[in-house]
Amino acid sequence: IMTSEVEDRIALQDVMSRYAIAVDEKDYEGYRELFTEDVRVLGLTAEDMHGMEEFFPWWKNAIDQYDSTQHLFSPMLAIIEGDYARTVSNLQALHYPKGDPNTTVTLWASYKTDMRKVEGDWKICRHELVRRGFEVNSAD
C-alpha cells in the first residue's frame, strides 16, 4: 500500500504521541513496540546504547525512579525519504521522584528521532536526546 506524505506525517507524529503516553502511563510493552530491535540510542547516557536488549532494561529502571512524569512535545519536523524519516521534536518533561512529592525535575530537550517503516508501521531506529536545560525544584 502506498501512503501519502500527509498520512506518513500523521503516522510519524502518532509514534511520538504514543511514546509520550507510554512513558507517562508506564506502558512498558507499548513503549517497547515503538522501536526496532536494533535501535541506536544516544544522549541518554554517557555511552550510546545499541539494541532494545541493552536500552529497554536501562529505560525501565530509569522511568521506575519516578512516581509520575508528563512529557509534552512540540509539533514535529519530519523529513521523509521513502520508508525512512528523520524527525525533531522539542520536549518539556516533568518528573516527580518516587516518594518525594515536593520535588519536581524538569527537562527541556530535543529528540532527534529517526524512524523506518517495518511491515508498514513506522518504528524508531535511532533516538537521540539533545539536552537544552535541566532544573530541580524542591518545595522543602
Side-chain angles (χ1 to χ4, degrees), residues 14 29 37 40-41 47 49 51 62 67 70 75 78 80 83 86-87 100 109 112 118 123:
D14 282 354
E29 204 48 48
E37 281 302 314
R40 186 161 173 231
V41 180
E47 299 292 321
M49 289 179 270
D67 280 330
Q70 185 180 45
I80 303 166
D83 286 348
R86 293 189 317 275
T87 74
D100 185 1
K112 294 182 176 181
V118 178
K123 302 272 188 181

Side-chain angles (χ1 to χ4, degrees), residues 13 73-77 88-90:
Q13 183 72 53
F73 285 113
S74 71
M76 170 196 289
L77 173 66
V88 179
S89 305
N90 289 320

